[in-house]
Coordinates of all heavy atoms in Angstrom, one line a residue:
E1 N 186.7 32.0 114.6 CA 186.8 30.9 113.7 C 187.3 29.7 114.5 O 188.3 29.8 115.2 CB 187.7 31.2 112.6 CG 187.9 30.0 111.6 CD 189.0 30.3 110.5 OE1 189.8 31.2 110.7 OE2 188.9 29.6 109.5
I2 N 186.7 28.6 114.2 CA 187.2 27.3 114.7 C 187.7 26.6 113.5 O 186.9 26.3 112.5 CB 186.1 26.5 115.4 CG1 185.6 27.2 116.6 CG2 186.6 25.1 115.8 CD1 184.3 26.6 117.3
L3 N 189.0 26.2 113.5 CA 189.6 25.6 112.3 C 189.8 24.1 112.7 O 190.6 23.8 113.7 CB 190.9 26.2 111.9 CG 191.6 25.7 110.7 CD1 190.6 25.8 109.5 CD2 192.9 26.4 110.5
L4 N 189.2 23.2 112.0 CA 189.3 21.8 112.3 C 190.2 21.1 111.2 O 190.0 21.4 110.1 CB 187.9 21.1 112.3 CG 186.9 21.7 113.2 CD1 185.5 21.1 113.0 CD2 187.3 21.5 114.7
E5 N 191.1 20.3 111.6 CA 191.9 19.5 110.7 C 191.8 18.0 110.9 O 191.9 17.6 112.1 CB 193.4 19.9 110.8 CG 194.3 19.2 109.8 CD 195.8 19.7 109.9 OE1 196.1 20.5 110.8 OE2 196.5 19.2 109.1
N6 N 191.5 17.3 109.9 CA 191.4 15.9 110.0 C 192.8 15.2 109.8 O 193.3 15.2 108.7 CB 190.4 15.3 108.9 CG 190.2 13.9 109.1 OD1 190.8 13.2 109.9 ND2 189.2 13.3 108.3
T7 N 193.3 14.7 110.9 CA 194.6 14.0 110.8 C 194.4 12.5 110.9 O 195.4 11.8 111.0 CB 195.5 14.5 112.0 OG1 194.9 14.2 113.2 CG2 195.8 16.0 111.9
G8 N 193.2 12.0 110.9 CA 192.9 10.6 110.9 C 192.3 10.1 109.6 O 192.6 10.7 108.5
A9 N 191.4 9.2 109.7 CA 190.8 8.6 108.5 C 189.8 9.5 107.9 O 189.2 10.3 108.6 CB 190.1 7.3 108.9
A10 N 189.6 9.4 106.6 CA 188.7 10.2 105.8 C 187.3 9.9 106.3 O 186.9 8.8 106.6 CB 188.8 10.0 104.4
L11 N 186.4 10.9 106.4 CA 185.0 10.8 106.8 C 184.2 11.1 105.6 O 184.3 12.2 105.0 CB 184.7 11.7 108.0 CG 185.6 11.6 109.2 CD1 185.3 12.7 110.2 CD2 185.3 10.2 109.8
A12 N 183.3 10.2 105.2 CA 182.5 10.4 104.0 C 181.0 10.7 104.3 O 180.3 11.2 103.4 CB 182.6 9.2 103.1
D13 N 180.5 10.3 105.5 CA 179.1 10.4 105.7 C 178.7 11.5 106.7 O 177.7 11.4 107.4 CB 178.6 9.0 106.3 CG 178.7 8.0 105.2 OD1 178.4 8.3 104.0 OD2 179.0 6.8 105.6
G14 N 179.6 12.4 106.9 CA 179.3 13.5 107.8 C 180.3 13.5 109.0 O 181.0 12.6 109.2
W15 N 180.4 14.6 109.7 CA 181.3 14.8 110.8 C 180.7 15.8 111.8 O 179.7 16.5 111.5 CB 182.6 15.3 110.4 CG 182.6 16.5 109.5 CD1 182.4 16.6 108.1 CD2 182.6 17.9 109.9 NE1 182.3 17.9 107.7 CE2 182.4 18.7 108.8 CE3 182.7 18.5 111.2 CZ2 182.4 20.1 108.9 CZ3 182.6 19.9 111.2 CH2 182.5 20.7 110.1
G16 N 181.2 15.8 113.0 CA 180.8 16.7 114.0 C 181.9 17.0 115.0 O 182.9 16.2 115.1
T17 N 181.7 17.9 115.9 CA 182.6 18.2 116.9 C 181.9 18.8 118.1 O 180.8 19.4 118.0 CB 183.8 19.2 116.4 OG1 184.7 19.3 117.5 CG2 183.2 20.5 116.1
E18 N 182.5 18.6 119.3 CA 182.0 19.3 120.5 C 183.2 20.0 121.2 O 184.3 19.5 121.1 CB 181.5 18.2 121.5 CG 180.3 17.4 120.9 CD 179.8 16.4 121.9 OE1 180.0 16.6 123.2 OE2 179.1 15.5 121.5
L19 N 182.9 21.1 121.8 CA 184.0 21.8 122.5 C 183.4 22.7 123.6 O 182.2 22.9 123.6 CB 184.8 22.7 121.6 CG 184.1 23.8 120.9 CD1 185.0 25.0 120.8 CD2 183.8 23.3 119.5
T20 N 184.2 23.1 124.5 CA 183.8 24.0 125.6 C 184.5 25.3 125.5 O 185.8 25.2 125.3 CB 184.0 23.3 127.0 OG1 183.4 22.1 127.0 CG2 183.5 24.2 128.1
I21 N 183.9 26.4 125.6 CA 184.5 27.7 125.6 C 184.2 28.5 126.8 O 183.3 28.2 127.5 CB 184.1 28.5 124.3 CG1 182.6 28.8 124.3 CG2 184.5 27.8 123.0 CD1 182.2 29.8 123.3
N22 N 185.1 29.4 127.1 CA 184.9 30.2 128.4 C 184.1 31.5 128.2 O 184.0 32.3 129.1 CB 186.3 30.6 128.9 CG 187.0 31.6 127.9 OD1 186.8 31.6 126.7 ND2 187.9 32.5 128.5
L23 N 183.5 31.7 127.0 CA 182.8 32.9 126.7 C 181.3 32.8 127.3 O 180.6 31.9 126.9 CB 182.7 33.1 125.2 CG 182.0 34.4 124.7 CD1 182.6 35.6 125.3 CD2 181.9 34.4 123.2
T24 N 181.0 33.8 128.1 CA 179.6 33.9 128.5 C 179.0 35.0 127.7 O 179.5 36.1 127.7 CB 179.6 34.2 130.0 OG1 180.3 35.4 130.3 CG2 180.1 33.1 130.9
G25 N 178.0 34.7 127.0 CA 177.4 35.7 126.1 C 176.4 35.0 125.3 O 176.0 33.8 125.5
K26 N 175.9 35.7 124.3 CA 174.9 35.2 123.4 C 175.4 34.9 122.1 O 176.1 35.7 121.4 CB 173.8 36.2 123.3 CG 172.6 35.8 122.4 CD 171.6 36.9 122.3 CE 170.5 36.5 121.3 NZ 169.6 37.5 121.0
M27 N 175.2 33.7 121.6 CA 175.6 33.3 120.2 C 174.6 33.9 119.3 O 173.4 33.6 119.4 CB 175.7 31.8 120.0 CG 176.2 31.4 118.7 SD 176.3 29.7 118.4 CE 177.3 29.1 119.7
E28 N 175.1 34.6 118.3 CA 174.1 35.3 117.4 C 174.2 34.7 116.0 O 173.3 35.1 115.2 CB 174.5 36.8 117.3 CG 174.3 37.5 118.7 CD 174.6 38.9 118.6 OE1 175.3 39.4 117.7 OE2 174.2 39.6 119.5
G29 N 175.0 33.8 115.7 CA 175.0 33.1 114.4 C 176.3 32.3 114.2 O 177.3 32.4 114.9
T30 N 176.2 31.4 113.2 CA 177.3 30.6 112.8 C 177.3 30.5 111.3 O 176.2 30.6 110.6 CB 177.2 29.2 113.4 OG1 176.1 28.5 112.9 CG2 177.2 29.2 114.9
W31 N 178.4 30.2 110.7 CA 178.5 30.0 109.2 C 179.8 29.3 108.9 O 180.6 29.1 109.7 CB 178.3 31.3 108.4 CG 179.5 32.3 108.6 CD1 180.5 32.4 107.8 CD2 179.6 33.3 109.7 NE1 181.4 33.4 108.3 CE2 180.8 34.0 109.4 CE3 178.8 33.6 110.8 CZ2 181.2 35.0 110.3 CZ3 179.2 34.6 111.6 CH2 180.4 35.3 111.3
G32 N 179.9 28.8 107.7 CA 181.1 28.1 107.2 C 180.7 26.6 106.9 O 179.6 26.3 106.5
D33 N 181.7 25.7 107.1 CA 181.5 24.3 106.8 C 180.6 23.6 107.8 O 180.2 22.5 107.5 CB 182.9 23.6 106.8 CG 183.7 24.1 105.6 OD1 183.2 24.5 104.6 OD2 185.0 24.2 105.9
G34 N 180.3 24.2 108.9 CA 179.5 23.5 109.9 C 178.6 24.5 110.6 O 178.7 25.7 110.4
F35 N 177.6 24.0 111.4 CA 176.7 24.9 112.1 C 176.5 24.4 113.5 O 176.7 23.2 113.8 CB 175.4 25.1 111.4 CG 174.6 23.9 111.3 CD1 173.6 23.6 112.2 CD2 174.8 22.9 110.3 CE1 172.8 22.4 112.1 CE2 174.1 21.8 110.2 CZ 173.1 21.5 111.1
V36 N 176.2 25.3 114.5 CA 176.0 24.9 115.8 C 174.6 24.3 116.0 O 173.6 24.9 115.6 CB 176.2 26.1 116.8 CG1 175.8 25.7 118.2 CG2 177.6 26.5 116.7
T37 N 174.5 23.1 116.6 CA 173.2 22.4 116.9 C 172.8 22.6 118.3 O 171.7 22.4 118.6 CB 173.3 20.9 116.5 OG1 174.3 20.3 117.3 CG2 173.6 20.7 115.1
S38 N 173.8 22.9 119.2 CA 173.5 23.1 120.6 C 174.6 24.0 121.2 O 175.7 23.9 120.9 CB 173.5 21.7 121.3 OG 173.4 21.9 122.7
Y39 N 174.1 24.9 122.1 CA 175.0 25.8 122.8 C 174.4 26.0 124.2 O 173.3 26.6 124.3 CB 175.2 27.1 122.1 CG 176.0 28.1 122.9 CD1 177.3 27.9 123.2 CD2 175.4 29.3 123.4 CE1 178.1 28.8 124.0 CE2 176.2 30.2 124.2 CZ 177.5 29.9 124.5 OH 178.2 30.8 125.2
E40 N 175.1 25.5 125.2 CA 174.6 25.6 126.6 C 175.7 25.7 127.5 O 176.6 24.8 127.6 CB 173.7 24.4 126.9 CG 173.0 24.5 128.2 CD 172.0 23.4 128.5 OE1 171.4 22.9 127.5 OE2 171.7 23.2 129.6
N41 N 175.7 26.7 128.4 CA 176.8 26.9 129.4 C 178.2 26.7 128.8 O 179.0 26.1 129.5 CB 176.5 25.9 130.5 CG 175.2 26.1 131.2 OD1 174.8 27.3 131.4 ND2 174.6 25.1 131.7
G42 N 178.5 27.2 127.7 CA 179.8 27.2 127.1 C 180.1 25.9 126.3 O 181.1 25.8 125.7
H43 N 179.2 24.9 126.4 CA 179.4 23.7 125.6 C 178.7 23.8 124.2 O 177.5 24.1 124.2 CB 178.8 22.5 126.4 CG 179.0 21.2 125.7 ND1 180.2 20.5 125.8 CD2 178.3 20.4 124.9 CE1 180.2 19.4 125.1 NE2 179.0 19.3 124.5
I44 N 179.5 23.6 123.2 CA 179.0 23.8 121.8 C 179.1 22.4 121.1 O 180.1 21.7 121.1 CB 179.9 24.8 121.1 CG1 179.8 26.2 121.7 CG2 179.5 24.9 119.6 CD1 180.7 27.2 121.2
V45 N 178.0 22.1 120.4 CA 178.0 20.9 119.5 C 177.8 21.5 118.1 O 176.9 22.3 117.8 CB 176.9 20.0 119.8 CG1 176.8 18.8 118.9 CG2 177.0 19.5 121.3
I46 N 178.7 21.0 117.2 CA 178.7 21.5 115.8 C 178.6 20.3 114.9 O 179.1 19.2 115.1 CB 180.1 22.2 115.4 CG1 180.2 23.4 116.3 CG2 180.2 22.5 114.0 CD1 181.6 24.1 116.2
K47 N 177.8 20.4 113.8 CA 177.5 19.4 112.8 C 177.9 20.0 111.4 O 177.8 21.2 111.2 CB 176.1 19.0 112.8 CG 175.7 17.9 111.9 CD 174.2 17.6 111.9 CE 173.9 16.5 111.0 NZ 174.2 16.7 109.6
N48 N 178.3 19.1 110.5 CA 178.6 19.6 109.2 C 177.4 20.1 108.4 O 176.2 19.7 108.7 CB 179.2 18.4 108.3 CG 178.2 17.3 108.1 OD1 178.1 16.4 109.0 ND2 177.5 17.3 107.0
Q49 N 177.6 21.1 107.5 CA 176.6 21.5 106.6 C 176.3 20.3 105.6 O 177.2 19.5 105.4 CB 177.0 22.7 105.8 CG 177.3 23.9 106.7 CD 176.0 24.7 107.1 OE1 174.9 24.2 106.9 NE2 176.2 25.8 107.7
D50 N 175.1 20.3 105.1 CA 174.8 19.2 104.2 C 175.7 19.0 103.0 O 176.0 17.9 102.5 CB 173.3 19.3 103.7 CG 172.3 19.0 104.7 OD1 172.7 18.3 105.7 OD2 171.2 19.4 104.6
W51 N 176.2 20.2 102.5 CA 177.1 20.1 101.3 C 178.6 19.8 101.6 O 179.4 19.7 100.7 CB 177.0 21.4 100.5 CG 177.5 22.6 101.3 CD1 178.8 23.1 101.3 CD2 176.7 23.5 102.1 NE1 178.8 24.2 102.1 CE2 177.6 24.5 102.6 CE3 175.4 23.6 102.4 CZ2 177.2 25.5 103.4 CZ3 175.0 24.6 103.3 CH2 175.9 25.5 103.8
V52 N 178.9 19.6 102.9 CA 180.3 19.3 103.2 C 180.4 18.1 104.1 O 181.0 18.1 105.2 CB 181.1 20.5 103.9 CG1 181.6 21.4 102.8 CG2 180.2 21.2 104.9
K53 N 179.7 17.0 103.7 CA 179.8 15.7 104.5 C 181.1 15.1 104.5 O 181.5 14.5 105.5 CB 178.7 14.8 104.0 CG 177.3 15.2 104.4 CD 176.3 14.2 104.0 CE 174.9 14.6 104.4 NZ 173.9 13.6 104.0
N54 N 181.8 15.2 103.4 CA 183.2 14.6 103.3 C 184.2 15.4 104.0 O 184.2 16.7 104.0 CB 183.6 14.5 101.8 CG 182.7 13.5 101.0 OD1 182.2 12.6 101.6 ND2 182.6 13.7 99.7
F55 N 185.1 14.7 104.7 CA 186.2 15.4 105.5 C 187.4 14.5 105.3 O 187.6 13.6 106.0 CB 185.8 15.5 107.0 CG 186.6 16.5 107.8 CD1 186.2 16.8 109.0 CD2 187.7 17.1 107.2 CE1 186.9 17.8 109.8 CE2 188.4 18.0 108.0 CZ 188.0 18.4 109.3
G56 N 188.1 14.8 104.2 CA 189.3 14.0 103.8 C 190.5 14.1 104.8 O 190.6 15.2 105.5
T57 N 191.3 13.1 104.8 CA 192.5 13.1 105.6 C 193.4 14.3 105.2 O 193.6 14.5 104.0 CB 193.3 11.8 105.4 OG1 192.4 10.7 105.8 CG2 194.5 11.8 106.2
G58 N 193.9 15.1 106.1 CA 194.8 16.2 105.8 C 194.0 17.5 105.4 O 194.7 18.5 105.1
T59 N 192.7 17.5 105.3 CA 192.0 18.7 105.0 C 191.5 19.4 106.2 O 191.5 18.9 107.3 CB 190.8 18.3 104.1 OG1 189.8 17.5 104.8 CG2 191.2 17.6 102.8
K60 N 191.1 20.7 106.0 CA 190.6 21.5 107.1 C 189.2 22.0 106.8 O 188.8 22.2 105.6 CB 191.6 22.7 107.2 CG 193.0 22.3 107.6 CD 193.9 23.5 107.8 CE 195.3 23.0 108.1 NZ 196.2 24.1 108.2
K61 N 188.5 22.3 107.9 CA 187.1 22.8 107.8 C 187.1 24.0 108.7 O 187.7 24.0 109.8 CB 186.1 21.8 108.2 CG 186.0 20.5 107.4 CD 185.6 20.8 106.0 CE 185.5 19.4 105.3 NZ 185.3 19.6 103.9
S62 N 186.4 25.1 108.3 CA 186.2 26.3 109.2 C 184.7 26.4 109.6 O 183.8 26.3 108.8 CB 186.6 27.5 108.4 OG 188.0 27.6 108.2
V63 N 184.6 26.8 110.9 CA 183.2 27.1 111.4 C 183.4 28.4 112.1 O 184.2 28.6 113.0 CB 182.7 26.0 112.4 CG1 181.3 26.4 112.9 CG2 182.7 24.7 111.7
W64 N 182.6 29.4 111.7 CA 182.7 30.7 112.3 C 181.6 30.9 113.3 O 180.4 30.6 113.0 CB 182.6 31.8 111.2 CG 183.8 31.8 110.3 CD1 183.9 30.9 109.2 CD2 184.9 32.6 110.3 NE1 185.1 31.2 108.6 CE2 185.8 32.2 109.3 CE3 185.4 33.6 111.2 CZ2 187.0 32.8 109.0 CZ3 186.6 34.2 111.0 CH2 187.4 33.8 109.9
L65 N 181.9 31.4 114.5 CA 180.9 31.7 115.5 C 180.8 33.2 115.7 O 181.8 33.9 115.9 CB 181.3 31.0 116.8 CG 181.6 29.5 116.8 CD1 182.0 29.1 118.1 CD2 180.4 28.7 116.3
Q66 N 179.6 33.7 115.8 CA 179.4 35.1 116.1 C 178.8 35.3 117.5 O 177.7 34.8 117.7 CB 178.5 35.8 115.0 CG 178.3 37.3 115.3 CD 177.5 37.9 114.2 OE1 177.2 37.3 113.2 NE2 177.1 39.1 114.5
F67 N 179.5 35.9 118.4 CA 179.1 36.0 119.8 C 179.0 37.5 120.1 O 179.7 38.4 119.6 CB 180.1 35.4 120.7 CG 180.0 34.0 120.9 CD1 180.7 33.1 120.2 CD2 179.1 33.5 121.9 CE1 180.6 31.7 120.4 CE2 179.0 32.1 122.1 CZ 179.7 31.2 121.3
N68 N 178.1 37.7 121.1 CA 178.1 39.0 121.8 C 178.6 38.7 123.2 O 177.8 38.2 124.0 CB 176.6 39.5 121.8 CG 176.5 40.8 122.5 OD1 177.5 41.4 123.0 ND2 175.3 41.3 122.7
G69 N 179.9 39.0 123.4 CA 180.5 38.6 124.7 C 181.8 39.3 124.8 O 182.2 40.2 124.0
I70 N 182.6 38.8 125.8 CA 183.9 39.4 126.1 C 185.0 38.5 125.6 O 184.9 37.3 125.8 CB 184.0 39.7 127.6 CG1 182.9 40.6 128.1 CG2 185.4 40.2 128.0 CD1 182.8 40.8 129.6
L71 N 186.0 39.1 125.0 CA 187.2 38.3 124.5 C 188.3 38.4 125.5 O 188.3 39.2 126.4 CB 187.7 38.9 123.2 CG 186.7 38.8 122.0 CD1 187.2 39.5 120.8 CD2 186.3 37.4 121.7
P72 N 189.3 37.5 125.6 CA 189.5 36.5 124.6 C 188.7 35.2 124.8 O 188.2 35.0 125.9 CB 191.0 36.1 124.8 CG 191.2 36.4 126.2 CD 190.3 37.5 126.6
V73 N 188.6 34.4 123.8 CA 187.9 33.1 123.9 C 188.9 32.0 123.9 O 189.8 31.9 123.1 CB 186.9 32.9 122.8 CG1 186.2 31.6 122.8 CG2 185.9 34.1 122.8
E74 N 188.8 31.1 124.9 CA 189.6 29.9 124.9 C 188.8 28.6 124.8 O 187.7 28.6 125.4 CB 190.4 29.8 126.2 CG 191.4 31.0 126.4 CD 192.1 31.0 127.7 OE1 191.9 30.0 128.5 OE2 192.8 32.0 128.0
A75 N 189.2 27.7 124.0 CA 188.5 26.4 123.8 C 189.2 25.3 124.5 O 190.4 25.3 124.6 CB 188.3 26.1 122.3
S76 N 188.4 24.3 125.0 CA 189.0 23.2 125.7 C 188.1 22.0 125.4 O 187.0 22.1 124.9 CB 189.2 23.4 127.2 OG 187.9 23.6 127.8
N77 N 188.5 20.8 125.8 CA 187.7 19.6 125.6 C 187.2 19.4 124.2 O 186.0 19.1 124.0 CB 186.6 19.6 126.6 CG 187.1 19.7 128.1 OD1 188.1 19.1 128.4 ND2 186.4 20.4 128.9
V78 N 188.0 19.6 123.2 CA 187.6 19.5 121.8 C 187.6 18.1 121.4 O 188.6 17.4 121.5 CB 188.5 20.4 120.9 CG1 188.1 20.2 119.4 CG2 188.5 21.8 121.3
V79 N 186.5 17.6 120.8 CA 186.4 16.2 120.3 C 185.7 16.3 118.9 O 184.7 16.9 118.8 CB 185.4 15.4 121.3 CG1 185.3 14.0 120.7 CG2 186.0 15.3 122.7
I80 N 186.4 15.6 118.0 CA 185.8 15.5 116.6 C 185.4 14.1 116.4 O 186.1 13.2 116.7 CB 186.9 16.0 115.6 CG1 187.3 17.4 115.7 CG2 186.3 15.8 114.2 CD1 188.4 17.9 114.8
K81 N 184.2 13.9 115.9 CA 183.7 12.6 115.7 C 182.9 12.5 114.4 O 182.6 13.4 113.8 CB 182.9 12.1 116.9 CG 181.8 13.1 117.3 CD 181.1 12.6 118.5 CE 180.1 13.6 119.1 NZ 179.4 13.2 120.2

């Protein structure tokens, strides 16, 4: 699970995030408030689902990733935009 928290201004027209993970393996699915639009060499780009474009200040969104790989997974270079 990737848990995102908006500590800035409210977003009304959609949101996205990018991050890098150390997991080498195959992504088999995503679900939750967002979905993966790109996964290459550990770099993941996530976009909001159509029904959750709003991301209010102080609220959280969950995106679940299903991988076939080796744990633990560490994330770095996380950017929400």
Side-chain angles (χ1 to χ4, degrees):
E1 176 185 22
I2 298 172
L3 185 61
L4 306 171
E5 181 176 3
N6 185 353
T7 60
L11 304 171
D13 294 324
W15 52 271
T17 186
E18 296 183 24
L19 62 140
T20 303
I21 61 171
N22 67 331
L23 180 62
T24 56
K26 180 180 176 188
M27 184 180 308
E28 296 182 342
T30 64
W31 64 96
D33 295 323
F35 65 96
V36 172
T37 62
S38 174
Y39 173 66
E40 186 174 335
N41 297 325
H43 183 79
I44 298 173
V45 178
I46 297 172
K47 182 183 181 304
N48 63 276
Q49 298 281 8
D50 286 341
W51 63 87
V52 277
K53 288 184 178 181
N54 294 334
F55 197 170
T57 301
T59 63
K60 297 179 182 179
K61 302 291 184 193
S62 289
V63 180
W64 295 83
L65 307 178
Q66 182 177 349
F67 276 94
N68 179 2
I70 299 172
L71 297 176
V73 176
E74 296 177 8
S76 61
N77 303 323
V78 179
V79 177
I80 299 174
K81 50 185 173 176

